[in-house]
Amino acid sequence: KNKSIVIVIHDLNYALANADYFIAIKEGKVVFFGEKDKVMTSEKLSDLYDSEVEIIKTNGKQFALHH
């Protein structure tokens, strides 16, 4: 059976490790949504947080670094 769970989380590294799809909301509006590899990019996250965010990949996992 296909099941979905919706959670609200602000810890990017926890989210990257555990979720396949993302919805980003800023000031009450959806900024982007979709599959992790397509939407969780340094550019999109930096725009979302108004701060530099770098996504790195190592050993098949993604991590977010805030600068």
Side-chain angles (χ1 to χ4, degrees):
K1 296 179 182 179
N2 292 329
K3 295 182 181 182
S4 297
I5 297 173
V6 176
I7 63 170
V8 175
I9 190 164
H10 296 94
D11 182 330
L12 288 176
N13 287 307
Y14 184 83
L16 285 167
N18 294 288
D20 298 317
Y21 293 89
F22 289 84
I23 299 171
I25 298 172
K26 183 175 184 178
E27 298 177 1
K29 296 180 182 178
V30 174
V31 179
F32 58 80
F33 64 93
E35 295 177 21
K36 174 173 40 181
D37 291 335
K38 294 180 181 176
V39 300
M40 297 299 277
T41 65
S42 295
E43 181 181 346
K44 287 184 180 190
L45 291 171
S46 294
D47 288 343
L48 178 68
Y49 286 102
D50 295 323
S51 177
E52 187 178 349
V53 178
E54 182 180 357
I55 297 295
I56 61 168
K57 294 182 183 183
T58 183
N59 296 325
K61 297 181 181 183
Q62 290 179 306
F63 297 94
L65 303 175
H66 300 265
H67 298 281

